[in-house]
Amino acid sequence: MRDVQFGELPYLKYDYSVTSCMYSPDGSRLAVSLSDGNINVYATSNWERTWILSGHSMSITSIAYSPNGDRIVSGSYDSTVRVWDVVTGDCLYIFIGHTSDIYNVAYSPQGNVVASMSYDRTIRLWDVETGDCRSTLSGGGYIYDMTFSASADNIAFSSEDYRVRVWDVTSGECRSILIGHTWRFMNITYSAKGDLICRNEIWDVGAWEVEAGAYRHLAQSAGNPVSSPKENQFAMLRGNDIELRDIATGQCIRRLSIDDKGFSSVAYSPQGDQIVSSSSRDYTIRLWDVETGECRQTMTGHTSYVSKVLFSPKRDHIASVDYYTVRLWNIGSGTSRKISHRHNGAVTGLKYSPKRNQIASCSSDSTIQLWDVETGFCTRTLTDHTEKVYNISYSPAEDLLVSCSRDTTVRVWDVECGACRYILAGHTKDINDAVFSPQGDQIASTSDDWTVRLWDVETGECQRILIGHSNEVWFVRYSPQGNQIATCSMDGSVRLWDLMTGDCQHTLIGHFEGIGGMEYSPNGNQIASASDDKTVRLWDVKTGMCSHVFIGHQEIVRRVVYSPRGDQVASASRFDKTVRLWDLESGECRHTLEGHKGEIHAIAYSQRGDLIASWSEKGEARLWDVEAGDCRWTLNYDGLAGWDSSPLSINFVWMSSEVDSFITADFSGNVRAWEVVEEGGQPRIRMRWGSTNGQLVVQDTCVQGVQGLSDLNRRLLKQRGATGEPNHRLREAGKNVMSMTSVVSKLKSSSSNTESLN
């Protein structure tokens, strides 16, 4: 396995929080500073740690490399500045003089001066040859940011008096004060042309022409601006988007967007032709083409807020930083993995088609994907919706698929060819649910516009508009006989509608908060409803009377399902993290199923009704014995099922009556197939396939005896869960070793959109 590359590198994990991360100018080293006062320096050729620079007594707040890369300067809460020799690991200078925490340090472009910025409201300029303090700069109170000019003859800083001061580095004199603004500038940076790019406290971005003192406004309501190395544009965070703007005019050139996930940081590549970003919600790292705005690669692995992303100067790596981890990614030709067909947003719904052996998934990225269950290939992506897709449903014949969206449309799709047959328009707000009638000739849809609509599948025309709810309508269910529908709403009611006349036969009132779950019993004589009032109620369909009120959950109830025989109801509360099994004869709670660590998103009975599965936001599935109430097995997947604002979000489906295979989906847009196998008399959960997501997954992979595996890749595979020890020396060809081809096929599919793990 010599020279094999897997698209990512071993991550760097720490016991203390990461405070800063920086590549050396030539890209040969990476420095990581920590809250314990140490700096870890790594060689990027093999990612071995070369030095731990120790000396600060408190957390390090800022680090910077010298222009030639042989030194590092660091600032700390201990009020000192230290200069380190990267080659020897020695501390060359300790600069003492500040009387409070230091929160920013920088080298001048020539490398002969270090600037340090402190809460004592001063900036000090230090001579790196003598160690002397050359100048102490102050003015305007608290200092927010500082920046050297490209020529290094000036340093500018912004302060709380709404002004920017420009100082001569050599003389230590204030050359000019930029005035006329009524807001404080929080971030400033010099462009190569000598202008100061600024962001103020109300998130407006502008530029000062330093010599003339003229200010021009560039953009409103933006995050920290990042200038392109080409100096023709800058990137800024705005709402959930990254906007690329012309640096001269402020006009928006291009907008990079990933639905409603938002961004936390952004950086240009050294050549300015690519941008790397981190998401503030799903913690993914994305690589963008600046010219086209296309997302070229998505990388996942972080499980907490990503504070910083950066390119290596050689452009061969990306580093991304969360609280305790630095993750490293290979990019560029030959190492960048193919972008999969995984969703680029949270999966909001899953449905299984037994006749086609197919899974359909819908997402907040506005797409629907169809998956071959056997191979894991995404066979088709349906893209006509323009907003988040809330739910999908197969027709009884499984030849059609209906979808509903935030874009206020219902769409009917031909599953075979992927064509959109009809766009059902009429609702005026988000459509929460859409389902086929048992006969397949009609579709019912519910909306935030408080209405229910019935559509003719053959013509696509709206047959009826059912009005009566006084708030958002969430679920709709056809009775098993197909002559009635039930709808539930945030108004706290369930309504039963006659499909022949369109009349409301009964309004089921008893819940005093919104209803987020509802199902007919198998025989259609009863309805179970789950409410935010923490109760489950059973209703007689003929009379509209409430027969039972199940009390026990400690938080809102959003899931309720009948057992296949109809003698039991299961309910799940997201927030009290329990499933309760209720006996319909006695009304008693037979079992309270506890053990989930995260919010429960889905519950499903097996076809025989003797088992029930539950699925939580922590990527945890549990299978329970209905009779005994015991947990048979648990799957803990290191990922997020995710939270979605829609109460309809379902991300777990069974695929077999034998309860030996199921499908899950998560907040990061991944769809995965699992199987239950018996090993030594015990059930074991194994992933059959999973949509690729930019992160290497090697569960159930053994590298015992693998030849030629580098130490770097050995560490990577061990971190990802591979077992066994590779050979450290090449063995004779006759020895029993695993071939490179077999291992790579086990670890990564570079020519398809799935990762085979079986």
Side-chain angles (χ1 to χ4, degrees):
M1 294 193 67
R2 201 178 296 170
D3 300 326
V4 173
Q5 292 179 316
F6 294 108
E8 61 182 284
L9 299 163
Y11 54 75
L12 310 175
K13 184 77 173 176
Y14 304 99
D15 294 329
Y16 294 87
S17 59
V18 178
T19 58
S20 189
C21 179
M22 180 170 286
Y23 280 99
S24 63
D26 64 358
S28 64
R29 298 183 180 93
L30 180 78
V32 180
S33 63
L34 304 175
S35 61
D36 66 353
N38 293 329
I39 302 170
N40 292 261
V41 182
Y42 299 85
T44 58
S45 58
N46 57 10
W47 293 101
E48 294 288 346
R49 184 164 52 191
T50 56
W51 297 109
I52 299 177
L53 308 179
S54 300
H56 285 293
S57 60
M58 298 179 72
S59 174
I60 296 173
T61 56
S62 179
I63 58 173
Y65 270 98
S66 62
N68 63 9
D70 62 349
R71 293 182 179 182
I72 290 175
V73 62
S74 58
S76 167
Y77 284 152
D78 64 10
S79 305
T80 69
V81 178
R82 289 175 179 256
V83 178
W84 309 86
D85 188 302
V86 177
V87 178
T88 65
D90 296 332
C91 180
L92 302 177
Y93 296 108
I94 303 175
F95 298 152
I96 299 175
H98 284 293
T99 59
S100 188
D101 303 351
I102 295 166
Y103 54 96
N104 198 1
V105 292
Y107 263 98
S108 66
Q110 276 78 25
N112 61 332
V113 175
V114 162
S116 57
M117 190 168 74
S118 169
Y119 284 110
D120 66 11
R121 303 187 175 192
T122 68
I123 292 173
R124 288 179 177 255
L125 303 182
W126 308 88
D127 190 298
V128 297
E129 292 301 321
T130 65
D132 296 334
C133 179
R134 294 172 53 166
S135 304
T136 300
L137 317 179
S138 63
Y142 179 81
I143 299 172
Y144 292 106
D145 200 8
M146 66 177 182
T147 179
F148 279 102
S149 64
S151 60
D153 54 348
N154 292 333
I155 186 171
F157 68 84
S158 58
S159 51
E160 63 180 338
D161 66 350
Y162 315 112
R163 301 181 179 186
V164 176
R165 290 169 168 80
V166 182
W167 294 74
D168 186 286
V169 172
T170 303
S171 66
E173 296 179 352
C174 182
R175 294 185 57 182
S176 61
I177 301 176
L178 307 179
I179 62 175
H181 222 273
T182 57
W183 299 99
R184 301 178 182 92
F185 288 104
M186 312 304 290
N187 305 96
I188 58 173
T189 182
Y190 268 104
S191 71
K193 297 178 181 178
D195 290 346
L196 276 170
I197 307 298
C198 312
R199 179 187 67 84
N200 67 22
E201 60 186 328
I202 61 169
W203 302 85
D204 285 350
V205 176
W208 287 98
E209 296 177 20
V210 176
E211 293 301 322
Y215 176 83
R216 66 180 186 275
H217 182 266
L218 295 178
Q220 288 181 321
S221 304
N224 296 346
V226 179
S227 295
S228 165
K230 294 181 177 180
E231 292 299 329
N232 62 335
Q233 66 177 221
F234 64 94
M236 66 182 196
L237 308 181
R238 187 172 187 180
N240 290 323
D241 302 328
I242 297 173
E243 289 188 356
L244 308 184
R245 289 183 171 254
D246 186 279
I247 205 165
T249 66
Q251 291 296 312
C252 182
I253 305 167
R254 191 159 287 105
R255 184 174 286 107
L256 313 180
S257 180
I258 48 171
D259 194 51
D260 57 354
K261 292 183 174 58
F263 296 92
S264 56
S265 59
V266 62
Y268 277 95
S269 66
Q271 291 76 19
D273 60 338
Q274 291 181 316
I275 278 178
V276 62
S277 68
S278 61
S279 169
S280 59
R281 297 182 187 173
D282 70 358
Y283 316 133
T284 55
I285 310 300
R286 284 178 165 82
L287 187 65
W288 305 83
D289 186 285
V290 169
E291 186 65 29
T292 66
E294 178 188 359
C295 179
R296 297 176 59 181
Q297 190 172 348
T298 302
M299 295 156 275
T300 68
H302 285 287
T303 57
S304 59
Y305 183 85
V306 180
S307 59
K308 186 175 184 178
V309 289
L310 60 160
F311 277 92
S312 70
K314 297 177 181 178
R315 194 180 159 177
D316 54 347
H317 301 134
I318 288 172
S320 52
V321 181
D322 65 29
Y323 294 116
Y324 298 101
T325 308
V326 177
R327 287 187 176 264
L328 309 165
W329 313 91
N330 275 326
I331 58 172
S333 60
T335 62
S336 178
R337 276 178 285 163
K338 181 178 179 179
I339 303 172
S340 75
H341 290 279
R342 72 184 274 285
H343 287 291
N344 288 320
V347 176
T348 53
L350 282 177
K351 290 294 188 297
Y352 175 54
S353 166
K355 294 179 182 178
R356 293 180 173 271
N357 204 21
Q358 181 184 78
I359 285 287
S361 60
C362 61
S363 169
S364 60
D365 68 3
S366 78
T367 69
I368 300 160
Q369 294 184 340
L370 306 180
W371 305 84
D372 184 281
V373 168
E374 287 302 315
T375 64
F377 284 110
C378 177
T379 58
R380 204 172 294 281
T381 300
L382 314 179
T383 59
D384 286 0
H385 279 296
T386 59
E387 295 280 354
K388 173 180 183 177
V389 182
Y390 283 115
N391 211 348
I392 48 178
S393 181
Y394 280 100
S395 64
E398 300 179 17
D399 58 337
L400 300 177
L401 190 75
V402 64
S403 59
C404 58
S405 169
R406 181 184 284 169
D407 66 11
T408 72
T409 68
V410 175
R411 292 174 186 260
V412 181
W413 309 85
D414 186 301
V415 177
E416 187 65 36
C417 66
C420 180
R421 278 199 184 179
Y422 295 112
I423 300 174
L424 311 181
H427 285 294
T428 58
K429 291 187 178 181
D430 296 18
I431 303 175
N432 296 315
D433 199 12
V435 295
F436 281 96
S437 65
Q439 294 78 20
D441 58 345
Q442 189 181 72
I443 290 170
S445 60
T446 62
S447 171
D448 284 356
D449 66 9
W450 302 4
T451 70
V452 182
R453 286 179 178 251
L454 304 180
W455 310 86
D456 187 285
V457 171
E458 191 63 34
T459 65
E461 295 179 356
C462 180
Q463 298 173 316
R464 293 186 187 279
I465 303 174
L466 309 181
I467 299 174
H469 284 293
S470 58
N471 209 325
E472 301 165 358
V473 189
W474 281 357
F475 276 105
V476 59
R477 291 291 179 265
Y478 278 90
S479 66
Q481 295 77 19
N483 61 340
Q484 182 187 74
I485 61 168
T487 57
C488 65
S489 166
M490 280 298 290
D491 65 10
S493 73
V494 175
R495 287 179 174 256
L496 306 184
W497 307 85
D498 185 284
L499 293 182
M500 290 295 293
T501 64
D503 295 335
C504 179
Q505 296 173 308
H506 296 292
T507 302
L508 313 182
I509 298 175
H511 290 294
F512 54 87
E513 290 194 34
I515 299 172
M518 173 195 66
E519 294 291 344
Y520 274 97
S521 63
N523 61 15
N525 295 331
Q526 195 178 67
I527 284 176
S529 58
S531 170
D532 288 5
D533 67 9
K534 307 176 188 178
T535 69
V536 175
R537 288 178 177 258
L538 302 185
W539 309 87
D540 186 284
V541 169
K542 290 183 179 180
T543 65
M545 301 298 292
C546 178
S547 59
H548 289 91
V549 181
F550 297 149
I551 299 174
H553 284 292
Q554 303 302 306
E555 295 290 346
I556 63 176
V557 189
R558 287 281 176 86
R559 296 286 180 259
V560 60
V561 292
Y562 276 90
S563 65
R565 293 191 297 270
D567 59 343
Q568 188 182 80
V569 161
S571 60
S573 169
R574 274 188 171 181
F575 304 118
D576 75 9
K577 303 171 187 176
T578 67
V579 177
R580 290 177 179 258
L581 306 182
W582 308 91
D583 186 277
L584 298 194
E585 288 261 341
S586 64
E588 295 178 355
C589 179
R590 293 184 57 188
H591 296 293
T592 300
L593 311 181
E594 299 175 295
H596 278 289
K597 296 181 177 63
E599 300 171 16
I600 298 174
H601 283 247
I603 52 175
Y605 277 97
S606 64
Q607 291 185 21
R608 291 190 296 268
D610 56 335
L611 301 170
I612 190 168
S614 53
W615 172 248
S616 84
E617 67 163 354
K618 297 297 184 184
E620 177 191 23
R622 288 176 173 261
L623 184 69
W624 309 86
D625 185 294
V626 168
E627 188 62 33
D630 298 329
C631 183
R632 287 237 186 134
W633 52 251
T634 301
L635 162 69
N636 288 290
Y637 181 74
D638 185 18
L640 294 179
W643 183 87
D644 189 84
S645 60
S646 169
L648 300 167
S649 179
I650 301 291
N651 34 38
F652 181 103
V653 291
W654 286 113
M655 290 191 302
S656 73
S657 59
E658 289 75 26
V659 201
D660 60 2
S661 56
F662 56 94
I663 298 283
T664 64
D666 63 30
F667 184 68
S668 298
N670 299 300
V671 177
R672 296 181 174 92
W674 308 83
E675 62 184 359
V676 184
V677 296
E678 291 287 334
E679 290 186 1
Q682 296 296 320
R684 184 169 178 269
I685 317 303
R686 188 166 62 192
M687 189 191 295
R688 289 175 54 189
W689 54 261
S691 57
T692 56
N693 59 7
Q695 181 187 10
L696 184 65
V697 180
V698 294
Q699 289 174 311
D700 297 325
T701 297
C702 177
V703 293
Q704 187 72 33
V706 171
Q707 291 184 352
L709 189 66
S710 68
D711 183 63
L712 188 68
N713 281 337
R714 180 190 64 80
R715 285 153 45 202
L716 169 66
L717 298 180
K718 284 289 190 180
Q719 283 181 350
R720 299 304 187 270
T723 60
E725 287 297 330
N727 283 347
H728 296 288
R729 284 184 271 180
L730 290 175
R731 297 182 179 180
E732 311 85 62
K735 294 285 182 95
N736 182 23
V737 296
M738 188 179 289
S739 70
M740 181 183 77
T741 303
S742 64
V743 173
V744 172
S745 66
K746 198 82 161 162
L747 301 178
K748 160 180 170 257
S749 172
S750 60
S751 61
S752 72
N753 63 347
T754 60
E755 289 178 345
S756 177
L757 297 169
N758 197 16

